[in-house]
Amino acid sequence: MKICKTPKEMQHFRATLSGSVGFVPTMGALHEGHIALIKRSVAENDHTIVSIFVNPTQFLEGEDLDAYPRKIEADLKICELAGVDALFLPTPLMMYENDELAIMAPKVKGFILEGASRPGHFDGVLQVVLKLFSITTPKRAYFGKKDAQQLFMIENMVKHLFLPIMIVPCEIVREPDGLALSSRNVYLSTTQRKDALLLSKSLKKATKLIIEGERDAVKIKTMMEEVLSPTKLEYVEIVDRAFNLLEKVETKDTIILVAARVGTTRLIDNMWV
Ligand code: AMP
């Protein structure tokens, strides 16, 4: 497995690859969720590039940029075993200029839900993903449905900028009890982990209500909020696949999203109905 530490090195290596290239951008501390994306890319492409970059521009002031878990040795082994061709490990200095080009998330869909809780977050996400796409020029790029709004923002960017890249959405990988895997789960104490489980429990509750015939978004959200009451809830929302808020659930076109803090750890989860 080739390790590339600079954009130039990565671009040179990319130029030696013939056939299809799959790309999996990550912030590292790899878990089974990331591994599922990597394995899918390895299965569907002639070559796979994984990036590990804790991107400072998508963190807000006071967020966990410095504390974000870093496990580079373990990540390297995971990628090697999974059959990754190249690992791209840039530093912020190599990725950004002083007077940097501004990339802005769309004014409406980029500033609701995650964008409202974390203003500017999606500007940073789109900025880094566009740079990573330019460096790796993949045929396909793999993203988790876990970050549903991020996935939507990136699909939109690719569409708006006519980028010749196929975005492949991948299912959420969960612990056996339902907790969505996240690099941030390592912050949770044993008792906090129990409360963290309430996010997926609230989504299961919503699914049960929908199966029973409930379609009213307010009623579903109220029941979910009850389940989530021990957490510091940021939002529960029901949207269609284009992130328009819904009053009534439309099956096969709905995403139910939740964001909450457990202790100081901010967690998100969602369910595609
Ligand atoms: P991150 O390292 O958190 O930036 O995530 C890198 C990619 O992995 C993103 O596309 C995430 O949506 C995806 N991902 C993170 N957690 C999961 C999970 N539990 N299941 C599926 N994909 C995930």
Side-chain angles (χ1 to χ4, degrees):
M1 183 174 70
K2 174 85 177 164
I3 312 268
C4 301
K5 294 199 167 170
T6 68
K8 258 211 176 84
E9 237 184 301
M10 185 68 252
Q11 284 175 304
H12 281 143
F13 184 74
R14 167 66 184 96
T16 67
L17 300 175
S18 53
S20 60
V21 169
F23 175 51
V24 185
T26 81
M27 297 204 299
L30 302 180
H31 52 63
E32 290 296 333
H34 300 111
I35 294 170
L37 271 58
I38 295 170
K39 283 190 172 158
R40 185 149 173 206
S41 173
V42 169
E44 293 179 353
N45 300 280
D46 298 314
H47 303 284
T48 289
I49 300 173
V50 173
S51 65
I52 296 180
F53 180 55
V54 182
N55 172 40
T57 70
Q58 71 191 69
F59 285 78
L60 272 66
E61 212 45 52
E63 287 190 341
D64 58 343
L65 173 62
D66 294 332
Y68 196 83
R70 286 158 169 94
K71 297 185 182 169
I72 195 62
E73 287 308 317
D75 291 351
L76 245 139
K77 286 217 172 73
I78 287 171
C79 289
E80 203 145 37
L81 285 173
V84 169
D85 294 80
L87 191 54
F88 181 38
L89 304 171
T91 60
L93 271 178
M94 283 162 193
M95 289 295 278
Y96 294 111
E97 303 292 331
N98 278 332
D99 189 16
E100 183 62 51
L101 171 84
I103 291 176
M104 282 186 282
K107 287 277 171 278
V108 179
K109 306 277 174 74
F111 286 85
I112 56 169
L113 305 167
E114 284 303 284
S117 288
R118 307 177 71 190
H121 168 67
F122 286 126
D123 297 345
V125 169
L126 296 181
Q127 180 185 40
V128 77
V129 170
L130 185 55
K131 282 175 186 263
L132 292 168
F133 282 174
S134 305
I135 295 164
T136 59
T137 60
K139 175 172 182 186
R140 300 185 184 88
Y142 296 80
F143 290 88
K145 288 182 173 180
K146 161 88 176 4
D147 299 278
Q149 196 178 0
Q150 167 177 286
L151 168 64
F152 175 71
M153 287 289 127
I154 289 162
E155 281 173 335
N156 257 279
M157 176 175 77
V158 163
K159 188 170 160 219
H160 293 185
L161 298 179
F162 306 99
L163 301 177
I165 298 173
M166 213 181 292
I167 301 301
V168 184
C170 300
E171 294 306 321
I172 301 176
V173 178
R174 298 175 179 280
E175 300 275 10
D177 61 4
L179 181 69
L181 293 184
S182 162
S183 304
R184 290 190 167 99
N185 290 351
V186 298
Y187 298 147
L188 301 168
S189 69
T190 317
T191 39
Q192 286 173 340
R193 197 190 173 289
K194 287 195 184 114
D195 281 350
L197 203 52
L198 296 175
L199 276 77
S200 60
K201 280 197 175 147
S202 73
L203 293 164
K204 274 187 207 147
K205 173 92 187 170
T207 313
K208 185 167 175 279
L209 290 170
I210 293 164
I211 290 170
E212 288 166 1
E214 186 59 76
R215 293 289 178 273
D216 187 277
V218 173
K219 284 190 187 148
I220 295 168
K221 287 194 282 183
T222 306
M223 301 291 259
M224 289 178 69
E225 282 161 12
E226 266 173 39
V227 175
L228 290 158
S229 63
T231 70
K232 284 170 242 152
L233 186 61
E234 281 191 12
Y235 63 78
V236 169
E237 203 46 85
I238 301 185
V239 298
D240 67 14
R241 302 277 161 91
F243 279 80
N244 299 299
L245 301 184
L246 288 179
E247 287 177 10
K248 294 245 173 284
V249 168
E250 296 159 15
T251 43
K252 302 232 180 316
D253 188 32
T254 296
I255 310 174
I256 307 177
L257 304 133
V258 51
R261 261 175 215 282
V262 174
T264 53
T265 307
R266 187 172 184 281
L267 299 169
I268 58 170
D269 200 352
N270 65 75
M271 190 90 84
W272 298 50
V273 184

